[in-house]
Amino acid sequence: MTELKVECNNSCGGPQLTPEEERVLIRDIAITSENNSQEGDSFYLITQRWWQHWIDYVNQEQTNVTNDGSSMLENCDSSSRRPASIDNSDLIHDVNSEESNVGIEIHDTLSEGRDYVLLPQEVWNQLYSWYGGGPALARKVISSGLSQTEYAVEVYPLRLRLFVMPKGDRCIVRISKKETIGELHKRACELFDLNLEQVCIWDYYGQRKHALMNDMDRTLDDANLQMDQDILVEVHNNANGGLSASKGASRGSGTELSQSLNLTSQGRELDNTYGISTVTTRGSSGGLIGLQNLGNTCFMNSAIQCLVHTSEFAKYFQEDYHQEINWQNPLGMVGELALAFGELLRRLWAPGRTAIAPRQFKMKLARFAPQFSGYNQHDSQELLAFLLDGLHEDLNRVKHKPYKKSKDADGRPDEEVADEYWANHIARNDSIIVDVCQGQYKSTLVCPECHKISVTFDPFMYLSLPLQSTTTRSMTVMIFTCDGSALPFACTVTVPKQGRCRDLINALSSACSLKNNEDLKLAEVRNHLFERFLEDPLISLSAIRDDDHLVAYKIPKSLKKTLLMRLIHRCQEQEMGATQASQNWKPFGTPLVSLISCDEVITRGDIQTVVHTMLSPLLRSESLRQADTPEPCLSLTASEKCCESSSGEACSNKDSNAVKLFKLPLQLVEESNACIDISVGEDKAIKLSSTSTSILVYVDWSQELLEKYDTRYLENLPEVFKYGPVNKKSRTEPLSLYTCLEAFLREEPLVPEDMWYCPKCKERRQASKKLDLWRLPEVLVIHLKRFSYSRSMKHKLETFVNFPIHDFDLTKYIANKNNTQRQIYELYALTNHYGGMGSGHYTAHIKLLDENRWYNFDDTHISPINEEDVKSAAAYVLFYRRVKTRDAISNGGKSGSGHNNGSSLK
């Protein structure tokens, strides 16, 4: 590869860069490369172990520096030493002779962020020039997504098994799914030394002929080819008659091919092709069989085990369900998903079996849901939603769906409208999935203008509940006043976690009783200096970290022309041998701001007065009693000017005395960055350019001055959110599942992006929406929304939810007043997610009803657990079964309805 022919400067005697120089250079190259990425670019895999070593190495200068700035490299551990040459050997495996044509193969179970990172070609080239090593593992950028406008690196190109008929040869090839069928023809001819005119290629998925692949410009992705699937290469001696002969080929040709290759074609024995696990599961009871992890497929295994151990499904799929398969449903998968799931369920319920490799099921899944193809980690809940919907469509008893249009309530009784909606739904959707898992909720929309009320009743397959404790965020901000009217104080407010800066300002304004003639100016402070002013109200609060420091300043609303004065505090460093005072002043405390009127000439005395006013709350009382100071007093004019430019209220006596006591050692920073001493010459005007909007002033705190003020209020700046003992209460009072449900059912306005079209106003309105449970299913699936997504980041919420195992009582949440039965549920299964996004691990906890015992299903490993161990902060999707009860609600209501709400209208 030509891009690897780079001189190894560092290893060949060239000048070696410092770690910091390497870090900056790689950072700049990476930013430029990623900003210009396009389809067809190359990215390189590099082992996470080596990359992390390099990251530690180049960051050592930032983490190993003492207070006096001296280096600690001599004390650093081995992780901070320069890495050896790049070694990607742990990403690859030995290639056998059968796969010699595919080049270097990487392990199938690698995960980005855990095993490897992806580097742009320019970054790889630079690192390779410094360190050498390898091998180089290049991958191409391809377009992805429904619109094909997103880009992704194809880490695992398609691996296809080519079978040549009638010769019996076979070969495995790697090819991008964005390559064309024509390129596949060309590759096959090169591998088997054939002419294009001799060859016909078939989609031979499951060793059955599905489609003749003769559209040479179509991509393999569009042809829906899957990883590790079979491709049949038919060779004909006579090009003119070969095609018709191949079209008329009998099924025996497929059998002949399988026999010639010593392969099996269908059923359970197909797993022998890949090898059967020797890991046996505990016990011989039915339902205790594990699933092999095929490479990041724990998300699939956990969901399958929960569905398989749903007793209604176990009974249904072990009987003859084939007569209910809907072979013609265009929304289904022509029965293939139902058949694959049914076969897998039967094998999992067979006693005394070894763990199963669900390869056939995964291939079917990937064929109909390409988003789950490959070996990346996926969301277990998203897979579960697809399976329930796909199985429903494959098993829908309605062969010809009638057109049904539900009407709006328009004042009719809820019971009548709900029954109408449910009857219309059942007329089009009738399957074992609907019987078991589907319920109905009432949705009420209210127009904020005309108060039009719209009521609909919609079906649901599961409930996605928010974790309310994590939808909001506590933020602590230090409040300062610029008019000297109050001491600084810390203010803690609760804001939406995904809110904006305006939400924080509004919350602070209410909490600190902001007056009508005042504004809040919000700033982030770092290292005793202003990091930034948060002036844009649309800044996302997610950009503010918990360990940041925020300050809000009360400033007056003023129609006059004003300047923003920034006041930075400095104190003397205790540095031996310093010859000039200016060399050992360093920032400390919290910087302050104030406004100063510039309608008239600003003098040095004006600035002295404003600073005195700002600091007056910190002045110690004993300092006020020292009235016999020889310092000259500032003029009253300046004092009035300060008060006028602040809140308009009279200056306090405390401030007036302070002005008369002493001059503050202030330094004004000019536009040339020169510092001017403004503690003398109070009447001298400050020179400002016509474009100046702010001025910067230093106040130098001598030891004598520090004794006059209580500077603790300046030094103890709190973090936005401090983890630690303050959260003890929240840990001892975990979030309840009932609280999550109530948050889901709470009335709230629609987001602006999801406005409702009011039929009365004839306009889109931000209506309020209220959900109520109306009809509950036999099996209630509850999804805890642990994963939150933004444009650039994904987060996992580790909140512990206290969910009931027994007696989950939903009776009071049912809006149907005709319901006379108690709605009690019991937990029988759940999936768990451990770790972070993308690199975590899924397991399942399942209760075997015959044994009345809980088990942990961790891929192939199954072990009994105690019931008290079922609850954890990892719980993700909960499966509840309705408890059969004859206890009626003691409200005098009608009897005879609501017990089997999921199918009462069939």
Side-chain angles (χ1 to χ4, degrees):
M1 302 178 71
T2 57
E3 64 267 23
L4 298 183
K5 296 178 181 179
V6 182
E7 181 181 359
C8 300
N9 295 331
N10 291 352
S11 60
C12 301
Q16 182 168 305
L17 302 180
T18 66
E20 175 64 12
E21 289 172 335
E22 286 192 18
R23 183 186 69 82
V24 172
L25 183 56
I26 291 297
R27 181 199 64 190
D28 294 343
I29 294 175
I31 292 174
T32 302
S33 301
E34 293 182 0
N35 288 341
N36 299 321
S37 292
Q38 58 186 354
E39 188 172 7
D41 287 353
S42 292
F43 275 65
Y44 285 76
L45 280 76
I46 192 168
T47 175
Q48 174 71 29
R49 173 180 47 79
W50 189 94
W51 175 254
Q52 188 59 52
H53 189 171
W54 182 82
I55 290 293
D56 293 340
Y57 167 68
V58 297
N59 284 319
Q60 61 185 326
E61 292 186 358
Q62 299 179 6
T63 57
N64 292 289
V65 176
T66 62
N67 290 335
D68 60 358
S70 61
S71 174
M72 296 175 60
L73 287 179
E74 63 273 14
N75 297 321
C76 66
D77 58 22
S78 60
S79 65
S80 297
R81 298 193 187 104
R82 180 176 173 79
S85 60
I86 300 170
D87 182 8
N88 281 334
S89 60
D90 54 348
L91 301 182
I92 63 177
H93 60 71
D94 295 334
V95 181
N96 57 38
S97 59
E98 177 186 274
E99 299 179 343
S100 59
N101 59 86
V102 300
I104 299 176
E105 280 281 273
I106 63 174
H107 292 293
D108 288 339
T109 58
L110 300 180
S111 175
E112 183 179 3
R114 183 191 68 189
D115 303 306
Y116 67 87
V117 294
L118 289 167
L119 303 179
Q121 179 173 342
E122 295 80 3
V123 174
W124 164 264
N125 287 346
Q126 187 61 67
L127 290 173
Y128 183 81
S129 72
W130 291 336
Y131 295 94
L137 303 172
R139 296 295 186 266
K140 294 292 185 181
V141 174
I142 62 173
S143 58
S144 63
L146 295 176
S147 61
Q148 297 293 303
T149 57
E150 302 173 6
Y151 293 134
V153 178
E154 189 178 28
V155 175
Y156 289 99
L158 285 176
R159 182 169 54 202
L160 303 176
R161 300 189 299 178
L162 306 185
F163 299 136
V164 180
M165 178 67 186
K167 294 172 61 178
D169 294 340
R170 63 179 177 177
C171 187
I172 295 178
V173 297
R174 281 281 192 184
I175 185 170
S176 171
K177 63 182 180 180
K178 292 300 179 181
E179 290 287 6
T180 63
I181 291 176
E183 178 63 23
L184 180 60
H185 275 72
K186 181 180 177 182
R187 293 277 297 275
C189 290
E190 291 174 350
L191 288 170
F192 298 112
D193 194 20
L194 302 171
N195 295 323
L196 285 173
E197 295 79 10
Q198 292 180 282
V199 171
C200 291
I201 290 184
W202 290 82
D203 178 350
Y204 200 55
Y205 177 81
Q207 298 197 15
R208 292 174 55 191
K209 287 185 178 181
H210 286 272
L212 180 64
M213 301 171 63
N214 57 1
D215 185 349
M216 299 302 175
D217 295 326
R218 193 181 187 192
T219 67
L220 304 183
D221 192 20
D222 293 336
N224 203 18
L225 297 189
Q226 303 299 320
M227 184 71 71
D228 290 326
Q229 85 156 69
D230 302 334
I231 298 294
L232 179 61
V233 181
E234 282 190 332
V235 183
H236 307 286
N237 293 327
N238 186 338
N240 294 328
L243 185 59
S244 61
S246 66
K247 285 184 178 179
S250 66
R251 291 191 177 183
S253 63
T255 305
E256 179 183 348
L257 174 65
S258 299
Q259 293 172 349
S260 68
L261 298 180
N262 193 26
L263 296 174
T264 56
S265 59
Q266 296 290 335
R268 303 174 183 175
E269 296 181 2
L270 188 62
D271 284 333
N272 292 331
T273 307
Y274 305 92
I276 293 180
S277 168
T278 59
V279 180
T280 58
T281 56
R282 291 176 177 266
S284 58
S285 300
L288 288 177
I289 296 178
L291 289 169
Q292 290 184 31
N293 192 320
L294 307 179
N296 285 327
T297 56
C298 56
F299 76 97
M300 180 182 76
N301 293 349
S302 61
I304 288 175
Q305 292 286 15
C306 289
L307 290 180
V308 162
H309 287 85
T310 299
S311 58
E312 292 84 352
F313 295 155
K315 179 180 179 182
Y316 178 85
F317 283 99
Q318 290 187 82
E319 296 176 350
D320 185 13
Y321 63 93
H322 295 75
Q323 60 185 359
E324 291 200 338
I325 292 179
N326 193 328
W327 306 99
Q328 290 81 35
N329 189 353
L331 300 178
M333 288 130 223
V334 293
E336 289 195 38
L337 184 65
L339 289 171
F341 180 79
E343 174 63 18
L344 183 59
L345 181 144
R346 293 186 181 197
R347 296 176 64 190
L348 287 172
W349 275 102
R353 292 286 302 274
T354 58
I356 295 170
R359 294 185 183 275
Q360 286 299 302
F361 181 81
K362 186 179 185 302
M363 290 178 68
K364 295 284 186 183
L365 180 67
R367 187 172 185 85
F368 294 108
Q371 65 268 32
F372 298 116
S373 61
Y375 298 97
N376 290 327
Q377 183 69 277
H378 295 281
D379 190 328
S380 175
Q381 185 272 333
E382 292 179 1
L383 171 69
L384 181 67
F386 170 80
L387 286 179
L388 290 174
D389 187 63
L391 290 172
H392 159 66
E393 296 295 353
D394 265 5
L395 299 169
N396 196 348
R397 303 175 185 113
V398 180
K399 301 302 188 285
H400 304 285
K401 296 186 177 183
Y403 175 75
K404 295 286 185 179
K405 183 177 181 180
S406 298
K407 304 174 184 177
D408 196 74
D410 285 332
R412 292 184 293 161
D414 283 348
E415 292 76 13
E416 176 186 337
V417 180
D419 288 351
E420 177 184 291
Y421 269 81
W422 188 253
N424 290 345
H425 175 67
I426 293 299
R428 296 173 53 84
N429 302 277
D430 185 13
S431 69
I432 181 63
I433 306 299
V434 175
D435 296 344
V436 175
C437 292
Q438 283 201 351
Q440 186 183 34
Y441 60 75
K442 174 185 175 183
S443 175
T444 305
L445 290 170
V446 180
C447 177
E449 298 297 328
C450 70
H451 305 292
K452 160 72 176 175
I453 299 177
S454 173
V455 177
T456 58
F457 292 83
D458 303 308
F460 66 83
M461 194 86 75
Y462 52 87
L463 299 178
S464 287
L465 304 187
L467 306 190
Q468 274 299 288
S469 65
T470 56
T471 61
T472 58
R473 175 186 184 186
S474 291
M475 301 185 74
T476 300
V477 181
M478 201 70 174
I479 308 291
F480 284 84
T481 59
C482 72
D483 62 359
S485 60
L487 283 168
F489 63 96
C491 183
T492 300
V493 294
T494 300
V495 294
K497 191 168 186 179
Q498 302 299 326
R500 306 283 183 176
C501 197
R502 63 189 176 198
D503 299 315
L504 176 58
I505 292 176
N506 290 338
L508 290 171
S509 299
S510 299
C512 70
S513 302
L514 194 71
K515 299 175 183 177
N516 292 333
N517 61 347
E518 292 177 321
D519 276 329
L520 276 183
K521 193 169 188 67
L522 193 63
E524 179 185 344
V525 172
R526 183 171 299 174
N527 296 326
H528 314 292
L529 301 173
F530 289 111
E531 178 72 13
R532 58 173 173 163
F533 286 98
L534 301 171
E535 297 178 313
D536 184 355
L538 298 181
I539 292 176
S540 174
L541 294 182
S542 61
I544 301 174
R545 300 180 305 182
D546 286 339
D547 57 354
D548 286 341
H549 299 84
L550 296 185
V551 184
Y553 305 93
K554 287 186 179 183
I555 59 175
K557 291 181 180 178
S558 178
L559 298 177
K560 298 180 179 181
K561 185 178 180 181
T562 57
L563 285 175
L564 180 70
M565 189 186 75
R566 294 172 291 154
L567 184 69
I568 305 296
H569 308 281
R570 299 195 301 185
C571 66
Q572 284 184 309
E573 282 187 304
Q574 299 302 317
E575 192 173 305
M576 300 301 293
T579 59
Q580 297 181 10
S582 60
Q583 292 179 344
N584 58 355
W585 289 101
K586 68 173 184 178
F588 93 104
T590 304
L592 305 177
V593 300
S594 185
L595 295 182
I596 185 168
S597 174
C598 56
D599 284 341
E600 302 175 9
V601 175
I602 301 176
T603 66
R604 296 180 179 183
D606 294 337
I607 296 178
Q608 281 277 344
T609 302
V610 172
V611 175
H612 268 297
T613 303
M614 296 164 64
L615 297 178
S616 61
L618 310 182
L619 191 63
R620 298 183 189 274
S621 56
E622 56 267 23
S623 300
L624 292 173
R625 294 193 291 268
Q626 300 172 2
D628 55 345
T629 176
E631 296 287 342
C633 298
L634 295 178
S635 66
L636 183 60
T637 305
S639 181
E640 290 174 343
K641 188 169 190 173
C642 164
C643 292
E644 184 181 353
S645 68
S646 59
S647 63
E649 298 177 355
C651 291
S652 64
N653 292 332
K654 185 176 180 180
D655 180 61
S656 299
N657 290 330
V659 172
K660 296 175 182 178
L661 281 175
F662 45 79
K663 295 289 186 63
L664 291 168
L666 303 181
Q667 301 277 336
L668 174 67
V669 181
E670 290 191 317
E671 293 184 356
S672 62
N673 287 329
C675 290
I676 300 175
D677 183 1
I678 59 173
S679 60
V680 294
E682 67 179 62
D683 296 327
K684 193 170 182 179
I686 301 297
K687 294 180 181 179
L688 297 171
S689 70
S690 58
T691 59
S692 296
T693 58
S694 66
I695 58 175
L696 175 61
V697 176
Y698 291 126
V699 54
D700 293 334
W701 292 82
S702 63
Q703 188 61 38
E704 180 184 1
L705 189 60
L706 287 171
E707 293 174 358
K708 297 180 183 295
Y709 288 87
D710 187 353
T711 58
R712 292 176 301 170
Y713 295 96
L714 296 176
E715 297 174 10
N716 300 321
L717 189 59
E719 294 180 355
V720 167
F721 183 79
K722 183 69 175 179
Y723 291 90
V726 293
N727 288 326
K728 186 175 181 181
K729 180 178 179 181
S730 63
R731 290 199 301 270
T732 57
E733 297 179 9
L735 183 65
S736 165
L737 185 60
Y738 290 106
T739 304
C740 297
L741 178 61
E742 289 162 5
F744 173 75
L745 300 176
R746 186 178 301 131
E747 182 177 359
E748 59 183 14
L750 297 174
V751 295
E753 295 81 13
D754 192 21
M755 305 276 270
W756 172 61
Y757 181 80
C758 177
K760 187 174 180 181
C761 296
K762 307 297 183 184
E763 290 186 23
R764 293 198 172 274
R765 301 293 190 191
Q766 191 174 6
S768 62
K769 183 176 183 178
K770 174 75 170 70
L771 293 178
D772 291 289
L773 299 179
W774 187 266
R775 189 186 308 266
L776 292 180
E778 288 298 311
V779 169
L780 179 62
V781 181
I782 294 180
H783 164 225
L784 302 178
K785 297 174 71 173
R786 293 200 176 276
F787 300 122
S788 62
Y789 303 87
S790 63
R791 254 187 333 186
S792 58
M793 291 182 292
K794 301 175 182 179
H795 307 277
K796 184 192 174 186
L797 311 175
E798 301 283 358
T799 307
F800 174 76
V801 178
N802 186 18
F803 52 89
I805 297 178
H806 306 284
D807 298 326
F808 182 32
D809 192 349
L810 297 176
T811 307
K812 72 175 184 178
Y813 299 101
I814 303 300
N816 183 1
K817 302 308 178 185
N818 285 347
N819 172 58
T820 61
Q821 296 298 125
R822 294 183 63 200
Q823 303 293 312
I824 308 295
Y825 283 81
E826 180 172 301
L827 186 75
Y828 71 91
L830 69 152
T831 65
N832 303 294
H833 182 269
Y834 302 91
M837 293 285 295
S839 59
H841 181 62
Y842 286 95
T843 67
H845 292 337
I846 295 172
K847 183 178 183 180
L848 262 62
L849 300 183
D850 293 342
E851 299 183 15
N852 193 30
R853 189 174 190 180
W854 283 92
Y855 286 87
N856 177 50
F857 285 70
D858 187 355
D859 292 332
T860 58
H861 182 69
I862 300 174
S863 57
I865 58 173
N866 296 323
E867 185 171 276
E868 55 266 26
D869 297 327
V870 169
K871 294 184 182 183
S872 76
Y876 185 40
V877 181
L878 310 174
F879 291 75
Y880 282 94
R881 174 179 290 106
R882 192 204 305 272
V883 176
K884 307 299 182 183
T885 174
R886 294 185 179 181
D887 296 339
I889 305 172
S890 58
N891 62 358
K894 297 178 182 179
S895 60
S897 65
H899 177 63
N900 189 0
N901 289 333
S903 56
S904 61
L905 294 178
K906 283 190 165 301

